[in-house]
Amino acid sequence: MSTAPPPTGPGPHRPPDFTEVQASREFGELRRSYRSFAFPLTVAFILWYLLYVLLSSYAGGFMGTKVFGNVNVAFVLGIAQFVTTFLIAWWYARHAAAKLDPRAQAIKSRVEGDA
């Protein structure tokens, strides 16, 4: 009785050459598409966050300005931080589904098909 797994295909198995995949034009386009979306958005969000922190630290009078009732500018901007976080996550998910995932799947299919 043999416990070895059955062969998965004809001939010896050759692992994918990942350095070749990384150097491919297709992978470069995927990486460019990701970076052109993620980096500017990350920088913009960090600047927006730092603006909130700086205003909270150095512009107490402005941040304490009442907008309506007991709601002040600091509270509105704080809630806006949460809203923008969720909007960025939603926007990235849409971008990834439309632009990144199909390209990544094509690369994966090609690599797995060659293996």
Side-chain angles (χ1 to χ4, degrees), residues 53-90:
V53 171
L54 290 172
L55 287 173
S56 296
S57 298
Y58 299 108
F62 170 70
M63 295 296 269
T65 303
K66 301 278 186 193
V67 177
F68 59 88
N70 287 329
V71 177
N72 60 17
V73 171
F75 183 77
V76 171
L77 292 179
I79 294 299
Q81 289 283 316
F82 285 100
V83 170
T84 55
T85 300
F86 289 111
L87 284 174
I88 289 169
W90 170 78

Side-chain angles (χ1 to χ4, degrees), residues 16 18 30 33 36-37 40 43 68 75-76 87 91 98 108-109:
F18 291 111
L30 173 65
S33 181
S36 68
F37 183 88
V43 169
F68 59 88
F75 183 77
V76 171
L87 284 174
W91 192 15
K108 179 182 176 199
S109 297

Side-chain angles (χ1 to χ4, degrees), residues 4-57:
T8 57
H13 173 71
R14 184 177 75 70
D17 182 3
F18 291 111
T19 55
E20 181 182 314
V21 173
Q22 183 181 10
S24 72
R25 178 189 57 80
E26 196 177 25
F27 188 80
E29 289 173 4
L30 173 65
R31 194 171 44 234
R32 233 180 335 278
S33 181
Y34 168 75
R35 287 179 178 169
S36 68
F37 183 88
F39 287 173
L41 208 53
T42 300
V43 169
F45 184 77
I46 288 172
L47 291 174
W48 159 229
Y49 176 75
L50 289 175
L51 175 68
Y52 178 75
V53 171
L54 290 172
L55 287 173
S56 296
S57 298

